[in-house]
Amino acid sequence: MSTHDILHRLSETLASRRHADPEKSYTAKLFSEGPDSILKKIGEECAELIMAGKDGKRLNIVRESTDVVYHILVLLAFYGLSIEDVSQEMRRREGISGIDEKASRSANK
C-alpha cells in the first residue's frame, strides 16, 4: 500500500468520525472541542517534534512526525478538507521554486 493510499484512507476515516461519540473516539472528541483544541494539539505535537529533532533520535522523530500529520489531518477534516486537497496544492507547486511560489502568494494578498 502506498503512502498516498494510507493517508487517503486515514483522511476518510477521520471524516467519518465527525459525528461519532466523543466518549469513544479521540478524533470525535477533538472535533467536538472545536478548532482551538485541534490547533493546540498541533502546537503541542510540533513542539514535541522539535525536541525529537534536537535529540536526533530517528524513531522519536518518526513517531512525533506521525502525531503532527495525524493532527493536521484532523484539522483538515474539521474544515471539510482532506489529504487530497493538500496533494493538489503540492502538485500545483511541483517544479516551482519555493522563493517564487512564496512571492506569488505575497503578491496576491
Side-chain angles (χ1 to χ4, degrees):
M1 180 170 296
S2 74
T3 301
H4 180 78
D5 292 339
I6 292 166
L7 291 173
H8 184 74
R9 194 172 71 218
L10 177 57
S11 193
E12 289 177 342
T13 299
L14 295 175
S16 77
R17 299 287 194 275
R18 184 93 169 124
H19 302 291
D21 182 353
E23 297 292 320
K24 297 181 179 177
S25 165
Y26 174 70
T27 303
K29 182 176 183 271
L30 287 172
F31 283 143
S32 72
E33 292 174 352
D36 287 346
S37 180
I38 299 167
L39 293 168
K40 181 179 176 189
K41 283 303 295 180
I42 291 171
E44 290 171 7
E45 298 300 343
C46 284
E48 291 174 13
L49 175 57
I50 290 166
M51 297 310 297
K54 289 185 73 62
D55 290 344
K57 295 182 180 171
R58 294 168 54 94
L59 182 57
N60 288 347
I61 292 168
V62 168
R63 288 178 174 164
E64 296 304 338
S65 295
T66 301
D67 290 344
V68 170
V69 170
Y70 165 81
H71 286 91
I72 289 170
L73 290 173
V74 171
L75 181 68
L76 289 169
F78 182 85
Y79 286 109
L81 300 166
S82 73
I83 193 63
E84 191 56 39
D85 296 289
V86 175
S87 294
Q88 287 176 13
E89 179 62 11
M90 291 182 93
R91 282 190 291 276
R92 184 190 71 78
R93 293 184 187 190
E94 187 176 15
I96 300 172
S97 154
I99 293 170
D100 292 343
E101 196 284 324
K102 186 152 183 125
S104 75
R105 284 190 277 155
S106 298
N108 291 329
K109 287 186 178 182

